[in-house]
Amino acid sequence: MHTRLLSGNEAVALGAWEAGVAVGCGYPGTPSTEILEALAGKPGVYTEWSVNEKVALEVGVGAALAGGRTLVTMKHVGVNVAADPLFTASYTGVRAGLVIVTADDPELHSSQNEQDNRNYAIAAKVPMLEPSDSQEAREFTRLAFELSETFDTPVFLRMTTRLSHSKSLIEPFAGDAPQRTEAPLAPGFEPDPRKYVMIPGHARARRVAVEDRMQRLIEAAEDHPANRIEWPDGLPADAIAEFGVITSGIPYSYVKEVAPQAPVLKLGLVHPLPRRLLAEFAARVRWLYVVEELDPVIETQLKAWGIDCVGREAFSGIGEFSPTIVARGLGRPLPAPTLSPQLEVTVRRPGLCPGCPHDHVFTELRRLGFIVSGDIGCYSLGVLPPYNAMDTLLDMGASLTMAQGMDLVVPPEQKGRIAAVIGDSTFAHSGITGLLNAVWNGRDGLYVVLDNGTTAMTGMQPNPLSGERMGRSDAPSLDYALLAKAMHIPDDRLAMVDAYDTATISAALEHLAGQSGVRLLVVLGLCLIEGQKLKRIEKLDLKKTVRRELVRTHPLGGQHE
């Protein structure tokens, strides 16, 4: 039998497959993306990239109610999008196991904010598990499915960037290959309108059921196998240790590195918290430290229960921890400095890829003096030199709607000088509703979709505009012209242009800037990296032909064929 080195994301996929998961769905977002990619292609599992996180969770709830164990993945801000079905899924319950991976991003390695999604578990009244390494990511995924079915609830599995992308050993497979177990429930939906149809009368009854479930979960947390106390060797059973640490997740590894002999209460089930276990541990140490990244969730609860501890006084609530930060907070000797690289590496600023087909749009928008409302993804990099062409960025799909808000109140000299820029995947995710809002409310606005044929920022995942679905099977692609027609956008306010035709792009921006009403400019240029991949699978020529036809049949100024 051999050990294997897996990333946390790969380990979650493995654990889900071993647990008999039937459906995996999600929306790509760093650091969660690789989970579904690792799960896709495994036998017996259907996987899909959904249009957005809300859709993914709703698909997941439906699959679970029909008896299939389901894994739904997203990054931390994706839970904001999925919050609506999340809170009510807590009421309906799930029947088969439903595990929601939230991949938080301490230090904002690739995110627009640094939120702690343990707060979602508390607010939605659903349990949350948090592994510390790849082996636990594998084990806790299985435990999460079991917990979900035992208590009839969605269960969060909280990952963080460091855990998702770092690799550690997992235990050998029996027989040298992973073994898939059969899920305990047979597929099949069993009608139960009082449980699954959340009209107010039913929901009031389910609210009581949710509270009853939380009480049972609180009891179960005391003995849950994901929680454990590690006493140092040789410490008498009745001794009081000088200090002890309560921690979870990746910080546990840092605590063990800088204070290997310290008593530790390691929490794997981070919601609900095991009050009795915590109190017993606290009673056996003189100084109790809580080491947790981001929000003081555990610390706040301990103090609410009257258990004194040291948390924020010693550890910042901002950013990602390191062994040095943890050692300093615990008053321990600082770890030896890591090896210094022998080569001086030139600092590389983030930016659009050299040769990106869409760089001319940013150059022209700045030249024309537009206020640019930007969006998430590759094109957020338009804010950086040499373009310096983006003025706002809030969240997925907000470019169109924020532009509408700004246009309502800007002075006359700025009227008509606000443009929204969004990528194709983000447009499908939540930009379309913003476009519909503009049309419906009779607004003015220039909206530019930079279509590179893929979801490039997260690693080339397909989307509803790319003509493919997960696994690169062919799929229908949303038709911009029909979408515009359905929204009553006149032909002369829709244009599709080639991203490499810089003269036409400039002309299109100047032409549409002089129009009123809702104007939609689609700039078509394949991502260079995606193009190389398409070439290898002999799809590049066809995709180029399709996009050239779109440009030919939807010229600037209307008169579509």
Side-chain angles (χ1 to χ4, degrees):
M1 292 192 291
H2 304 286
T3 56
R4 286 170 170 78
L5 199 61
L6 293 184
S7 71
N9 282 349
E10 292 168 335
V12 170
L14 173 63
W17 185 80
E18 290 176 322
V21 68
V23 175
C25 49
Y27 186 80
T30 305
S32 68
T33 308
E34 298 83 3
I35 298 173
L36 274 194
E37 291 180 334
L39 186 62
K42 291 186 183 296
V45 187
Y46 168 81
T47 53
E48 71 168 33
W49 288 123
S50 304
V51 173
N52 63 37
E53 297 84 353
K54 176 177 179 291
V55 171
L57 182 52
E58 290 161 349
V59 170
V61 172
L65 294 187
R69 284 187 167 181
T70 302
L71 183 75
V72 182
T73 69
M74 59 195 73
K75 67 181 297 178
H76 63 299
V77 291
V79 180
N80 302 336
V81 181
D84 195 1
L86 167 67
F87 279 69
T88 306
S90 173
Y91 279 44
T92 63
V94 295
R95 193 162 176 262
L98 175 63
V99 177
I100 306 165
V101 177
T102 167
D104 292 9
D105 189 18
E107 203 68 31
L108 298 96
H109 293 281
S110 183
S111 305
Q112 64 269 40
N113 73 21
E114 188 184 57
Q115 68 189 44
D116 188 330
N117 278 4
R118 289 179 295 174
N119 295 299
Y120 265 116
I122 297 169
K125 303 182 187 302
V126 299
M128 172 178 275
L129 288 156
E130 183 177 15
S132 294
D133 57 26
S134 294
Q135 176 58 28
E136 284 195 347
R138 175 189 180 193
E139 290 177 2
F140 284 13
T141 303
R142 177 180 57 79
L143 289 175
F145 280 115
E146 294 172 358
L147 194 66
S148 177
E149 286 166 358
T150 301
F151 291 90
D152 190 24
T153 176
V155 172
F156 270 120
L157 184 71
R158 183 184 187 235
M159 304 286 285
T160 58
T161 304
R162 191 65 52 180
L163 175 59
S164 289
H165 289 167
S166 62
K167 293 196 174 189
S168 60
L169 293 173
I170 63 165
E171 294 175 357
F173 303 127
D176 215 30
Q179 302 296 316
R180 181 170 166 86
T181 57
E182 289 294 326
L185 290 177
F189 179 74
E190 298 176 357
D192 188 352
R194 298 189 70 82
K195 185 168 183 285
Y196 299 143
V197 182
M198 285 301 95
I199 59 175
H202 296 174
R204 290 189 194 99
R206 291 300 303 170
R207 175 69 184 91
V208 176
V210 169
E211 198 58 32
D212 173 68
R213 182 183 69 207
M214 279 306 304
Q215 292 305 311
R216 289 185 287 118
L217 278 164
I218 289 169
E219 285 299 315
E222 300 291 349
D223 302 313
H224 196 275
N227 299 329
R228 67 172 185 265
I229 293 177
E230 298 174 0
W231 295 110
D233 294 339
L235 184 72
D238 57 350
I240 303 296
E242 184 60 27
F243 78 100
V245 180
I246 296 172
T247 188
S248 63
I250 279 290
Y252 164 79
S253 302
Y254 302 151
V255 170
K256 296 300 291 184
E257 180 174 340
V258 303
Q261 292 302 312
V264 174
L265 197 173
K266 180 189 180 302
L267 294 169
L269 183 63
V270 294
H271 180 71
L273 293 172
R275 179 173 182 173
R276 188 169 62 247
L277 186 66
L278 290 161
E280 289 173 358
F281 181 77
R284 288 197 57 191
V285 300
R286 287 193 174 85
W287 286 92
L288 178 62
Y289 289 87
V290 178
V291 181
E292 54 184 333
E293 284 178 328
L294 303 183
D295 294 347
V297 174
I298 301 170
E299 177 189 353
T300 300
Q301 185 60 72
L302 287 175
K303 289 179 175 174
W305 286 333
I307 300 173
D308 193 26
C309 60
V310 178
R312 279 293 163 266
E313 307 98 300
F315 303 98
S316 169
I318 300 173
E320 187 179 32
F321 284 178
S322 67
T324 299
I325 290 172
V326 172
R328 188 175 290 122
L330 293 175
R332 309 297 298 175
L334 299 183
T338 55
L339 294 175
S340 300
Q342 298 299 309
L343 297 175
E344 191 71 26
V345 179
T346 304
V347 175
R348 295 174 59 193
R349 293 179 179 276
L352 293 176
C353 297
C356 174
H358 287 113
D359 63 343
H360 184 69
V361 174
F362 289 111
T363 302
E364 284 300 278
L365 286 171
R366 183 53 76 208
R367 181 183 69 81
L368 294 168
F370 273 96
I371 299 169
V372 177
S373 179
D375 224 295
I376 301 296
C378 289
Y379 305 119
S380 63
L381 301 173
V383 70
L384 300 174
Y387 311 105
N388 302 310
M390 190 173 291
D391 298 289
T392 63
L393 186 152
L394 184 66
D395 66 317
M396 298 280 279
S399 56
L400 281 74
T401 39
M402 284 191 68
Q404 293 164 41
M406 288 189 283
D407 184 67
L408 285 170
V409 294
V410 292
E413 62 270 21
Q414 292 182 329
K415 283 282 186 185
R417 310 308 301 172
I418 302 172
V421 176
I422 188 169
D424 48 314
S425 182
T426 318
F427 183 63
H429 178 281
S430 47
I432 291 174
T433 48
L435 184 64
L436 179 60
N437 188 70
V439 172
W440 182 43
N441 287 295
R443 304 301 312 285
D444 274 330
L446 172 56
Y447 307 117
V448 184
V449 179
L450 305 182
D451 187 328
N452 63 8
T454 188
T455 313
M457 180 65 102
T458 49
M460 314 299 155
Q461 291 76 32
N463 65 63
L465 291 156
S466 64
E468 292 181 331
R469 60 176 68 89
M470 195 165 204
R472 289 215 175 268
S473 59
D474 293 336
S477 176
L478 177 70
D479 189 315
Y480 287 106
L482 291 178
L483 177 70
K485 189 177 183 65
M487 290 190 181
H488 303 284
I489 298 174
D491 286 352
D492 63 350
R493 295 182 200 158
L494 166 68
M496 298 191 200
V497 300
D498 184 341
Y500 290 103
D501 186 348
T502 55
T504 300
I505 290 173
S506 301
L509 288 171
E510 292 184 10
H511 171 76
L512 293 173
Q515 305 291 312
S516 60
V518 172
R519 291 143 282 161
L520 179 61
L521 174 63
V522 181
V523 185
L524 295 152
L526 279 176
C527 166
L528 296 174
I529 300 172
E530 171 69 357
Q532 294 169 0
K533 294 185 175 182
L534 289 170
K535 187 175 183 179
R536 285 198 289 272
I537 59 174
E538 299 182 345
K539 281 189 169 184
L540 179 60
D541 290 342
L542 175 60
K543 200 157 187 175
K544 279 185 172 179
T545 300
V546 170
R547 295 162 83 84
R548 278 196 291 265
E549 188 66 7
L550 287 174
V551 171
R552 188 183 71 77
T553 55
H554 298 86
L556 178 62
Q559 302 302 314
H560 303 167
E561 294 182 4

